[in-house]
Amino acid sequence: MKRFASLFCALFLVLVAVEAQAEDKEGVLIVAFGTSMESAMPSLNDIDAAYKAAYPGKPIVWAYTSDIIRKKLAKEGKKIFSVIAVVGDGALTGGMCYEALNDCAEKGITSLRVQPLHVTAGEEYMMLQRMIVKNLTKNPGKFEHVYLAYPLIYSSEDLDRVIDAVLGSLAKDRKSGDYVVLMGHGNDRGASDLTLAAIHDRFLQKDPHVFVATVEGANGFSHILPVLKSRMAKTVHIEPLMVVAGDHANNDLAGSEDDSWASQMKKAGMKVVPHLRGLGEIPAIRDIYLSHTQAAKDDMAHPKKSD
């Protein structure tokens, strides 16, 4: 009887462990700023395909942080989740209704990996952290685990990998002596300015003909144009250092308006060659995001229990 009881207890513990493991359903929430331009979608589609291949059969949920883009898409009949839901007038609902997180919970996900598609840990990344913490505080037990992954460039190693990926995928028609200007988004708040300055410097160390400037913040194009002029640059290749080649890439970078970067360079007598593709279209960039998702250890549901 004792042997039977011991075997029964052992079997029971195994069944409990198996059941617990089966109930721990994993899923991924991908958070992007978003885009309403069809021409920019290949980048996000490539990322989606990469995650579906890496997590076969597991839920992959998307959310956009841009209220403007979600509202524009809603008018076109397209529903995109927000991280924190908004009501008709755009006011926050007090954190009680988080569309993407609610959808993940409704899908039965208990172990959620959140991958932001931000390039750096700027203001948007910090806002995402606050949104998740607020939701988990109001809804304890909603998930067993919520692992928030790092953005694309979070460490010196990340930066080297990104630079190698970008330089390795530059246009094949670029000739010796041609310059390259990469457009980052930038931010006038948070740590993004410092990070992007470091990105610019590291690119120059790897290739003295490659510059990084930003739409917002202290690293604007106004610092780069005089340098291009002083070096008498003849041909400049331009492309976004952003996940998608959206509005900023098509208008602020390569647009026909007088204040676009392309127009300013053309006015200075330079030949401008645009390459409008998002970072998400580069396989090595997708690999970096995936590696961050898989390596995420910051369990926001149980901060003290993080590995």
Side-chain angles (χ1 to χ4, degrees):
M1 286 294 292
K2 289 183 178 180
R3 181 179 297 179
F4 177 78
S6 298
L7 288 172
F8 178 81
C9 288
L11 179 61
F12 177 77
L13 291 173
V14 170
L15 290 174
V16 169
V18 170
E19 184 178 0
Q21 186 175 9
E23 290 176 353
D24 189 16
K25 183 178 179 180
E26 190 176 38
V28 179
L29 170 60
I30 302 175
V31 181
F33 178 81
T35 183
S36 60
M37 299 184 67
E38 283 299 321
S39 60
M41 285 306 297
S43 186
L44 299 185
N45 292 337
D46 287 349
I47 292 173
D48 186 62
Y51 272 84
K52 286 178 178 175
Y55 293 90
K58 296 179 180 178
I60 307 296
V61 179
W62 280 78
Y64 285 0
T65 60
S66 171
D67 295 341
I68 295 174
I69 290 176
R70 287 197 314 275
K71 289 177 181 178
K72 184 175 181 179
L73 292 173
K75 290 180 180 178
E76 300 173 3
K78 301 173 183 177
K79 170 63 178 176
I80 300 293
F81 288 131
S82 65
V83 182
I84 178 170
V86 295
V87 294
D89 62 357
L92 297 180
T93 60
M96 298 304 293
C97 181
Y98 290 66
E99 292 179 331
L101 293 172
N102 284 351
D103 184 72
C104 289
E106 289 170 5
K107 284 181 166 60
I109 297 172
T110 57
S111 182
L112 179 64
R113 293 186 174 274
V114 182
Q115 180 59 62
L117 296 187
H118 306 116
V119 174
T120 66
E123 179 64 16
E124 284 240 343
Y125 180 71
M126 302 305 173
M127 287 178 63
L128 175 61
Q129 287 181 314
R130 294 194 292 271
M131 289 175 186
I132 295 174
V133 168
K134 188 173 183 179
N135 181 260
L136 294 177
T137 301
K138 288 179 175 292
N139 302 279
K142 190 172 191 175
F143 300 99
E144 285 295 320
H145 307 284
V146 177
Y147 298 105
L148 178 60
Y150 293 144
L152 182 64
I153 300 173
Y154 200 78
S155 67
S156 182
E157 179 185 354
D158 292 339
L159 180 51
D160 285 334
R161 291 179 67 186
V162 169
I163 290 174
D164 289 343
V166 172
L167 294 181
S169 65
L170 290 176
K172 303 304 180 186
D173 60 347
R174 179 192 174 201
K175 299 176 182 178
S176 176
D178 286 0
Y179 283 83
V180 176
V181 173
L182 304 172
M183 171 186 271
H185 189 280
N187 196 281
D188 56 6
R189 302 179 305 280
S192 185
D193 263 354
L194 291 174
T195 304
L196 283 157
I199 293 170
H200 171 71
D201 289 344
R202 191 74 67 87
F203 262 104
L204 284 177
Q205 291 173 19
K206 295 264 186 163
D207 187 329
H209 287 75
V210 178
F211 297 95
V212 176
T214 59
V215 181
E216 297 180 9
N219 302 286
F221 182 63
S222 60
H223 298 289
I224 303 301
L225 186 59
V227 179
L228 292 172
K229 290 179 179 179
S230 68
R231 295 189 183 183
M232 294 182 286
K234 295 180 179 179
T235 301
V236 182
H237 298 258
I238 57 173
E239 62 179 75
L241 189 67
M242 303 178 183
V243 174
V244 299
D247 180 68
H248 285 307
N250 284 272
N251 295 309
D252 299 318
L253 178 62
S256 59
E257 296 294 326
D258 291 341
D259 59 349
S260 76
W261 295 10
S263 294
Q264 293 180 59
M265 286 185 277
K266 288 176 182 177
K267 186 177 179 180
M270 304 171 201
K271 177 184 177 182
V272 178
V273 184
H275 305 280
L276 300 184
R277 57 91 190 262
L279 290 173
E281 297 177 62
I282 304 175
I285 295 293
R286 298 196 293 271
D287 289 342
I288 297 172
Y289 277 122
L290 279 167
S291 69
H292 285 182
T293 306
Q294 294 159 352
K297 295 181 179 180
D298 292 332
D299 190 351
M300 304 188 75
H302 303 287
K304 293 183 180 180
K305 297 182 180 180
S306 297
D307 295 336

